[in-house]
């Protein structure tokens, strides 16, 4: 049986499970996939709900600060962020939108083991990973005001969800996508990119700025995500494109088109993986099973050996010192 949570706050859920409900303005795309039997459906609370919540005013202030950091992470540019990304660049709908990697699941499945770094991760460590890879940056200090605020915002979005939900039961989590009918094609992807993506992300992948404001982020090059970011995996980018791109036109790219676009975009160069050992083949081999089997890092594409460089983008360090392994002896 599908579990429905807070269904009155979102019109897209009105027909699910045979329910007929009075509704308000839709928050999410109206053509999102129907939930499968047994999936846990959660509609996160809004900032308007926060104002009405019976919690301490100081906690409300911290949650609002977390939201502000989430949607405008560029305010930390040059300190913790060294590219053109905001958290909301990949997690649309202020981190609440289904099939855009909503962030509330992280608050209810963590702490948990993460293959990427081979250790049990807390919510703060998961956020730190996003800064290190997706932001090509330096994580906020553990226990800092800003990291607490971001964690509080994640947990606010998860309000009412029982902790330790099975991750694969959560409706709308991640960017799921089927396999393509044909192998992904760089050439087809290039044609699709020029026709559908370059108007926002530029022909050179550098994105669009209006003055000092990043309007649309870079998708490759020095100001994009690095080779260790989750979206550098072909299936992850393909899923994001299929469910969310072009912006405001979800599902307009077919499954095959999405894979082709992901092939083209992730065949371009970007800053070095922070786990780089100094040898791209060695680094690929070290993280092959847990990550790079799904990327083109260390492979030759279009006559180039991808990742065979020391380019760190806009930062002057490789791996943030704050990323330390945790081993229980």
């Amino acid at each position: 049986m599908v579990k429905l949570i807070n269904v009155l706050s979102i019109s897209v859920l009105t027909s699910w499970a045979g329910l007929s409900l009075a509704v308000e303005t839709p928050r999410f795309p109206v053509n999102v996939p129907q939930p499968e039997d047994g999936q846990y459906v959660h509609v996160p609370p809004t900032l308007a709900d926060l104002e009405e919540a019976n919690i301490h005013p100081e906690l409300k202030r911290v949650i609002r600060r977390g939201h502000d950091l989430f949607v405008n992470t560029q305010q930390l540019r040059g300190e913790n962020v060294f590219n053109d990304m905001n958290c909301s660049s990949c997690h649309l709908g202020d981190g609440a939108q289904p099939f855009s990697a909503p962030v509330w699941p992280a608050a209810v499945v963590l702490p948990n083991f993460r293959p990427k770094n081979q250790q049990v991760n807390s919510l703060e460590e998961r956020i730190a990973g996003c800064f290190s890879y997706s932001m090509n940056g330096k994580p906020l200090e553990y226990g800092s005001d800003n990291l607490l605020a971001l964690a509080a915002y994640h947990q606010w979005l998860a309000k009412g969800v029982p902790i330790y939900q099975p991750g694969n039961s959560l409706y709308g989590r991640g960017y799921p996508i089927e396999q393509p009918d044909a192998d992904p094609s760089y050439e087809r992807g290039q044609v699709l990119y020029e026709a559908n993506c370059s108007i926002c992300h530029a022909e050179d992948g550098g994105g669009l700025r209006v003055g000092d404001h990043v309007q649309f982020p870079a998708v490759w090059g020095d100001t994009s995500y690095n080779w260790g970011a989750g979206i550098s995996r072909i299936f992850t980018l393909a899923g994001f494109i299929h469910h969310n791109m072009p912006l405001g036109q979800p599902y307009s790219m077919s499954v095959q088109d999405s894979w082709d676009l992901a092939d083209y975009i992730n065949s371009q160069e970007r800053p070095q993986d922070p786990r780089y050992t100094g040898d791209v083949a060695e680094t690929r081999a070290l993280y092959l099973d847990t990550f790079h089997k799904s990327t083109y890092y260390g492979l030759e594409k279009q006559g180039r050996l991808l990742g065979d460089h020391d380019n760190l983008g806009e930062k002057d360090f490789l791996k943030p010192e704050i990323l330390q392994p945790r081993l229980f002896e």
Side-chain angles (χ1 to χ4, degrees):
M1 178 179 180
V2 173
K3 301 176 182 178
L4 297 176
I5 307 296
N6 298 336
V7 291
L8 284 174
S9 65
I10 179 170
S11 66
V12 72
L13 300 179
T14 56
S15 65
W16 293 355
L19 297 178
S20 177
L21 301 169
V23 297
E24 299 176 357
T25 302
R27 290 179 59 201
F28 305 131
V30 296
N31 56 343
V32 292
Q34 294 286 306
E36 298 175 3
D37 188 50
Q39 286 190 313
Y40 191 100
V41 178
H42 171 63
V43 181
T46 65
L47 290 184
D49 296 325
L50 178 63
E51 297 308 309
E52 301 300 322
N54 185 24
I55 60 177
H56 196 281
E58 178 63 9
L59 177 55
K60 291 183 181 182
R61 188 182 73 85
V62 171
I63 292 171
R64 285 193 295 269
R65 172 60 177 162
H67 172 266
D68 179 55
L69 287 166
F70 193 90
V71 299
N72 180 24
T73 327
Q74 285 293 301
Q75 64 189 281
L76 304 175
R77 185 71 175 257
E79 181 179 358
N80 300 101
V81 177
F82 289 85
N83 65 11
D84 285 350
M85 307 293 282
N86 293 298
C87 297
S88 56
S89 298
C90 296
H91 308 281
L92 304 183
D94 294 3
Q97 185 165 309
F99 301 103
S100 185
V103 298
W104 62 265
V108 298
V109 301
L110 294 168
N112 203 353
F113 182 79
R114 191 180 187 207
K116 185 170 182 174
N117 62 2
Q118 292 290 294
Q119 66 188 50
V120 172
N121 285 212
S122 67
L123 177 57
E124 284 195 343
E125 286 173 310
R126 185 64 184 84
I127 296 170
C130 288
F131 276 90
S132 301
Y133 299 106
S134 297
M135 307 287 187
N136 192 38
K138 176 183 178 181
L140 302 162
E141 292 290 332
Y142 294 129
S144 65
D145 292 351
N146 282 340
L147 189 51
L148 171 65
L150 277 170
Y153 178 62
H154 282 60
Q155 290 173 314
W156 167 250
L157 292 179
K159 185 176 184 295
V161 182
I163 197 168
Y164 282 137
Q165 288 290 310
N168 59 4
S169 74
L170 302 176
Y171 172 77
R173 187 186 188 199
Y175 317 110
I177 189 170
E178 300 84 8
Q179 290 295 311
D181 291 332
D183 290 341
S185 164
Y186 181 98
E187 290 75 20
R188 289 194 304 265
Q190 183 175 14
V191 172
L192 287 164
Y193 181 87
E194 291 172 353
N196 298 279
C197 313
S198 62
I199 189 170
C200 293
H201 298 289
E203 289 189 7
D204 66 356
L208 176 64
R209 283 176 167 269
V210 177
D212 292 332
H213 178 68
V214 178
Q215 192 72 28
F216 297 103
V219 290
W220 69 79
D222 286 359
T223 57
S224 186
Y225 50 91
N226 66 42
W227 276 114
I231 208 164
S232 69
R233 297 173 299 186
I234 307 303
F235 73 88
T236 303
L237 181 56
F240 175 78
I241 291 169
H242 179 57
H243 291 287
N244 299 290
M245 291 290 119
L247 193 64
Q249 302 177 56
Y251 307 106
S252 58
M253 294 288 106
S254 70
V255 169
Q256 183 67 57
D257 288 349
S258 299
W259 280 91
D260 292 342
L261 277 165
D263 184 282
Y264 174 69
I265 293 169
N266 278 349
S267 292
Q268 313 300 327
E269 271 297 0
R270 55 196 67 258
Q272 184 57 257
D273 187 328
R275 300 168 294 183
Y276 184 53
T277 66
D279 182 279
V280 66
E282 179 182 67
T283 308
R284 179 178 175 82
L286 279 173
Y287 301 100
L288 182 65
D289 291 340
T290 57
F291 190 79
H292 280 307
K293 63 184 177 183
S294 301
T295 79
Y296 292 146
Y297 179 78
L299 299 181
E300 187 170 310
K301 294 283 289 185
Q302 306 299 310
R304 296 175 298 171
L305 182 60
L306 295 176
D308 188 25
H309 58 73
D310 296 320
N311 180 24
L312 304 176
E314 293 188 351
K315 64 183 184 182
D316 60 1
F317 58 91
L318 177 61
K319 183 177 181 179
E321 293 182 1
I322 197 171
L323 294 183
Q324 298 294 333
R326 179 190 295 108
L327 298 175
F328 290 92
E329 298 297 339

